[in-house]
Amino acid sequence: MIVLGLLLIVLAGATVIAVSWDETAASTTTATFTMFDRVIQLTQLELFFAGVATGAVLLLGLGIMFAGMRRSSAHRRRLRTSRAEARDRVIRLEEEKRELERKLEATPATPTAPAAPVVDRDRDGVDDRAEDTAPHPRVEVPRQPSTDQLVAGRHGRPDHH
């Protein structure tokens, strides 16, 4: 691949030298083109370089197109792989579910004992049945006058207690 690229570079260089050394053909012969009602006259050397530029643009376009195709192909391959892995996971989970259902059907039903009553309702780690359930002393907090009427929703209205 590298040898082919070097060969093409040498060949292009030799062509440029051959066309530019032919001074008589490059200076006397002109080609006339009409595009969009304009007449364009080019010498052989100018016509050669226009062809080189056109070829370079073509190769650049082909390179971009092939790079996009490679990237798109890699993206499709990754997508296909992830979908296959997801399908395999679903199949494995369904098989596991069927196996568990078979095991559940095969085991005899045993009566379960009633659940023990909840005896630690306040979750302090102490059995509530053994705790003193006397009422706790109530602490009275003196009432504070409210000056913030917006919080209570009484904006602009007198307080009716």
Side-chain angles (χ1 to χ4, degrees):
M1 191 69 177
I2 295 173
V3 173
L4 180 63
L6 290 174
L7 180 65
L8 288 175
I9 290 172
V10 169
L11 183 62
T15 307
V16 168
I17 292 171
V19 170
S20 63
W21 273 0
D22 189 10
E23 293 176 19
T24 57
S27 62
T28 59
T29 308
T30 60
T32 304
F33 299 99
T34 304
M35 287 192 324
F36 304 113
D37 294 333
R38 291 190 64 191
V39 177
I40 300 172
Q41 291 184 343
L42 298 173
T43 64
Q44 272 189 345
L45 187 60
E46 292 169 340
L47 191 58
F48 172 76
F49 285 123
V52 168
T54 303
V57 168
L58 174 70
L59 289 176
L60 180 67
L62 286 173
I64 290 172
M65 183 179 70
F66 286 129
M69 288 170 58
R70 271 193 309 272
R71 191 178 75 197
S72 177
S73 173
H75 177 70
R76 281 193 306 272
R77 193 176 315 115
R78 282 193 307 268
L79 189 60
R80 212 175 14 250
T81 302
S82 69
R83 285 180 181 164
E85 288 173 357
R87 267 194 309 270
D88 292 344
R89 261 194 316 270
V90 167
I91 290 171
R92 196 171 45 248
L93 287 172
E94 286 175 348
E95 288 173 356
E96 192 175 314
K97 177 185 169 203
R98 281 192 292 272
E99 181 65 28
L100 289 173
E101 286 174 345
R102 270 182 258 149
K103 285 182 181 178
L104 184 62
E105 289 173 359
T107 56
T110 56
T112 58
V118 176
V119 292
D120 186 18
R121 288 183 205 94
D122 55 0
R123 295 189 178 133
D124 61 353
V126 178
D127 188 352
D128 290 343
R129 293 178 288 184
E131 286 184 346
D132 183 22
T133 58
H136 299 290
R138 185 177 177 118
V139 178
E140 292 292 328
V141 178
R143 186 173 171 92
Q144 303 266 332
S146 175
T147 58
D148 190 3
Q149 298 280 327
L150 284 176
V151 175
R154 295 188 188 96
H155 181 64
R157 293 186 288 169
D159 195 14
H160 297 33
H161 282 288

